[in-house]
Amino acid sequence: MFMGSEAFRLRVDSLGCGASGEVLGEGLSEVGCTSGICESLHQIAAALGNAIDAKDHSTSSHSRQVADLARCLALRAGMSIHQAEVIHIAGHLHDIGKIGIPDEVLCKREPLTDAEWAMIRQHPAIGARIVAPVHIMNGSTGIAKMILHHHERWDGRGYPNRLRGENIPLGARILCLADSFSAMMESRAYRNRLTLGGSIEELRRNSGSQFDPELCGLMVDMLREAGVADEYCTLDLLVTRIIASDHQFP
């Protein structure tokens, strides 16, 4: 059963934004999200996300779309604007570790071997190491940990650390949903994209196993309330409708 958005907001407040102890967003609030520093950080993160997406033409704009959708979900969950902006930055950077994956593996059109899947599964840890020297992406913002854990699963069967439930940082749980939904809405070399309704049903099917069930409920409600009738709409259109229909946006 999905928890209502107001009840989840209360849980966010009471948990300090996650059982892992991260207070997401406080690091950026110190400089102000309207400051030149924060704006520059956003631009750098977006540019790096574009560089990753350029390695694989089948995932064009994926990092930006994940960032935008994750920001929508963070605000829907009752997080502050500062916290949502941190998750937005993490969304741009969530796949930065794919820089370390050979192109012949990352862009392979045939099924991957077990050894190649093992390489792919290294990208969260590689990404966390890449951003580790950047002070503002560690500590109170938790961006490095969001990158590291965005492929963990609610049931503990994810990677790299097989974290379970609320031991997974809240920001990473949000990124997991946004990343997965974006992938469902994209055509890949090995499959066609899902319809909007099919993607929503896939979220529901994996609630409580792959996804945080409370966040998943908020995500499904948010997508449905956007009121998009076109089953083959773009994710960009969907995000635009979410922003237009949701009073949580500033």
Side-chain angles (χ1 to χ4, degrees):
M1 178 178 292
F2 294 143
M3 177 177 288
S5 59
E6 184 60 33
F8 190 82
R9 290 187 189 103
L10 294 175
R11 286 174 57 81
V12 168
D13 291 341
S14 67
L15 289 173
C17 296
S20 59
E22 269 114 20
V23 185
L24 305 179
E26 294 306 313
L28 285 185
S29 68
E30 292 169 3
V31 297
C33 279
T34 59
S35 71
I37 294 174
C38 187
E39 183 178 354
S40 295
L41 185 59
H42 258 107
Q43 291 170 352
I44 292 168
L48 290 171
N50 290 341
I52 293 300
D53 292 342
K55 290 191 70 173
D56 183 354
H57 295 298
S58 69
T59 60
S60 175
S61 302
H62 173 72
S63 295
R64 176 181 55 76
Q65 291 171 344
V66 170
D68 290 346
L69 190 58
R71 180 178 182 269
C72 291
L73 182 55
L75 290 170
R76 180 76 172 209
M79 301 180 79
S80 71
I81 294 172
H82 293 310
Q83 292 163 342
E85 290 303 321
V86 171
I87 290 176
H88 192 249
I89 291 170
H92 281 299
L93 297 173
H94 76 284
D95 275 345
I96 191 172
K98 288 183 176 178
I99 287 175
I101 307 301
D103 286 352
E104 58 268 25
V105 174
L106 191 62
C107 302
K108 186 177 179 181
R109 293 182 174 270
E110 297 78 22
L112 298 179
T113 66
D114 289 346
E116 289 167 341
W117 271 118
M119 288 185 196
I120 292 289
R121 290 189 179 104
Q122 293 175 16
H123 81 269
I126 294 171
R129 289 197 297 271
I130 288 172
V131 304
V134 184
H135 175 72
I136 201 169
M137 294 188 186
N138 289 278
S140 60
T141 66
I143 289 174
K145 287 189 177 181
M146 286 185 245
I147 293 170
L148 178 63
H149 296 302
H150 76 276
H151 278 292
E152 305 285 0
R153 290 172 52 108
W154 185 256
D155 61 10
R157 296 171 56 200
Y159 60 92
N161 297 132
R162 298 180 71 87
L163 298 183
R164 180 188 295 269
E166 290 183 350
N167 289 319
I168 305 168
L170 178 57
R173 284 179 263 155
I174 289 173
L175 289 182
C176 178
L177 273 160
D179 185 28
S180 298
F181 186 79
S182 174
M184 294 172 199
M185 296 279 284
E186 294 169 345
S187 292
R188 299 291 171 88
Y190 50 87
R191 62 153 175 82
N192 293 325
R193 59 159 287 175
L194 299 182
T195 62
L196 174 58
S199 299
I200 291 174
E201 181 56 33
E202 192 70 12
L203 292 181
R204 291 181 61 89
R205 187 180 299 118
N206 288 281
S207 176
S209 54
Q210 183 177 358
F211 307 125
D212 177 330
E214 296 166 10
L215 279 174
C216 191
L218 294 179
M219 178 88 149
V220 168
D221 289 345
M222 180 177 74
L223 294 168
R224 286 180 169 165
E225 290 170 14
V228 176
D230 182 2
E231 284 291 312
Y232 289 93
C233 68
T234 65
L235 191 52
D236 286 337
L237 172 63
L238 195 55
V239 169
T240 299
R241 292 289 182 84
I242 289 169
I243 293 172
S245 65
D246 198 326
H247 68 278
Q248 298 297 325
F249 284 85

